[in-house]
Amino acid sequence: MFTIGSHLSINKGFENIGLEALSIDANTFQFFPRSPRGGKAKELDLDDISKFEEIMDNSSIDVILAHAPYVINLASKSEKTRQNAYELFEDDLKRLSYLPNNMYNFHPGSHVGQGADKGIEFISNSLNNLITDDLKTTILLETMAGKGTEIGRTFDELQCIIDRVNMDEKIGVCLDTCHVYDAGYDIVNDLDGVLDEFDDVIGLDRLKAIHLNDSMYGLNSHKDRHEKIGEGKIGLDAISDIINHEKLKKLPFFLETPNDVEGYKEEIKLLRGLYED
Ligand code: FE
Ligand code: FE
Ligand code: ZN
């Protein structure tokens, strides 16, 4: 089964986001549990969540993905920034514990000049405190484009974090096609080679989700500018190969392309047409 969805707004509640996903022929979705700029989250409405659970039970929606706020930087030089990131992260995980089958994707962080090693140490220390025995949510490290001092531009950096996490069975990776291409992994001409490298360095069993985006700039650009499917430097042929690759096709795919809901509906239709069952 092809599991495909897009980023959607949670502003109208979980029941509505579930209905909206189904209305665009999606069977998963990604959402921000709070504003991407951080701040206080809305109080959880358990009645709304139970209505959403019913939707999930009666549809092919099986897993959903939350995206951490962009302001979270567990790798910061500033203790205050790290502390703030930790508190938001912890609060998000607590809220996600009320939701059915979910994963939580975050940007590993930026080391802001102190060096990747130091940043990696900060991130893994935080994860070791955040990951508890009773955690049901799988935490995903997102592959990054390598803008500025972003950590996670190479598979090695991600594995360095994972290596330092004690309860690593709760950790996975979300591969963003725009980001890895911008970071220099040529998924257009050598998808097999890139996946082999991922397998050697991290292990494909860690790969839990794909952010499916085209890229406005392209290989090695380190820009992180998403483009609509088929309209960027990755292109429709490569994207078709990605969703149909033996090692990827059973994963959930999430669109983060510059679109409104109607645009996502069109892209999902296009991709469903390209997917080989
Ligand atoms: Fe992201
Ligand atoms: Fe992404
Ligand atoms: Zn991005």
Side-chain angles (χ1 to χ4, degrees):
M1 191 182 69
F2 188 27
T3 305
I4 174 94
S6 69
H7 190 91
L8 293 172
S9 163
I10 195 62
N11 288 347
K12 283 175 280 166
F14 284 100
E15 183 188 18
N16 282 320
I17 203 174
L19 293 172
E20 183 161 67
L22 295 176
S23 80
I24 61 172
D25 204 15
N27 49 1
T28 188
F29 58 85
Q30 176 178 267
F31 64 101
F32 287 123
R34 71 178 74 227
S35 160
R37 293 174 303 281
K40 220 171 133 47
K42 255 206 280 191
E43 218 176 304
L44 281 182
D45 177 348
L46 295 180
D47 188 48
D48 176 45
I49 290 176
S50 79
K51 284 180 184 147
F52 171 65
E53 273 177 301
E54 225 171 282
I55 292 174
M56 231 164 132
D57 287 345
N58 294 306
S59 70
S60 56
I61 302 176
D62 173 51
V63 65
I64 55 176
L65 179 61
H67 193 304
Y70 294 133
V71 292
I72 282 191
N73 186 8
L74 293 174
S76 177
K77 219 161 34 175
S78 142
E79 195 185 335
K80 191 163 168 263
T81 305
R82 288 200 306 274
Q83 184 61 30
N84 180 253
Y86 186 91
E87 283 164 15
L88 289 180
F89 204 121
E90 191 177 39
D91 189 50
D92 276 350
L93 290 180
K94 197 170 127 207
R95 295 158 58 81
L96 289 172
S97 73
Y98 291 93
L99 285 169
N101 197 19
N102 62 79
M103 304 190 285
Y104 184 63
N105 171 78
F106 78 108
H107 297 175
S110 289
H111 63 73
V112 283
Q114 60 185 332
D117 288 351
K118 193 74 201 161
I120 284 166
E121 197 184 310
F122 282 140
I123 298 164
S124 43
N125 286 348
S126 287
L127 288 173
N128 278 327
N129 290 319
L130 287 161
I131 298 175
T132 51
D133 262 331
D134 57 340
L135 181 71
K136 283 182 295 174
T137 297
T138 302
I139 296 172
L140 305 185
L141 297 156
E142 182 168 357
T143 60
M144 300 310 292
K147 246 184 340 191
T149 62
E150 262 173 6
I151 295 170
R153 66 199 283 170
T154 64
F155 299 156
D156 274 298
E157 285 183 352
L158 294 177
Q159 185 54 31
C160 278
I161 298 169
I162 296 167
D163 272 338
R164 287 168 177 74
V165 174
N166 303 325
M167 273 189 270
D168 68 335
E169 67 275 11
K170 315 260 178 154
I171 289 276
V173 173
C174 173
L175 185 144
D176 186 308
T177 54
C178 168
H179 296 178
V180 289
Y181 195 53
D182 287 15
Y185 291 100
D186 193 353
I187 52 173
V188 173
N189 298 301
D190 189 21
L191 180 60
D192 283 322
V194 172
L195 293 178
D196 283 348
E197 188 174 342
F198 188 101
D199 199 28
D200 285 345
V201 177
I202 301 177
L204 277 169
D205 53 335
R206 290 261 180 228
L207 186 55
K208 305 294 183 196
I210 306 278
H211 281 167
L212 192 64
N213 303 306
D214 213 324
S215 173
M216 205 176 277
Y217 289 92
L219 191 66
N220 245 315
S221 64
H222 304 296
K223 288 279 198 196
D224 190 2
R225 291 289 300 279
H226 301 190
E227 184 50 284
K228 291 182 177 146
I229 297 300
E231 294 182 22
K233 302 284 188 220
I234 296 176
L236 198 55
D237 285 348
I239 283 170
S240 175
D241 290 346
I242 290 165
I243 61 173
N244 285 301
H245 196 285
E246 271 316 307
K247 292 173 176 163
L248 305 178
K249 66 183 304 174
K250 293 203 173 71
L251 292 169
F253 292 88
F254 300 88
L255 297 164
E256 301 175 307
T257 45
N259 273 304
D260 54 15
V261 175
E262 198 50 42
Y264 283 135
K265 183 179 180 176
E266 289 304 311
E267 285 190 345
I268 289 169
K269 190 174 166 201
L270 171 73
L271 292 161
R272 286 200 181 281
L274 294 169
Y275 188 80
E276 294 151 22
D277 271 309

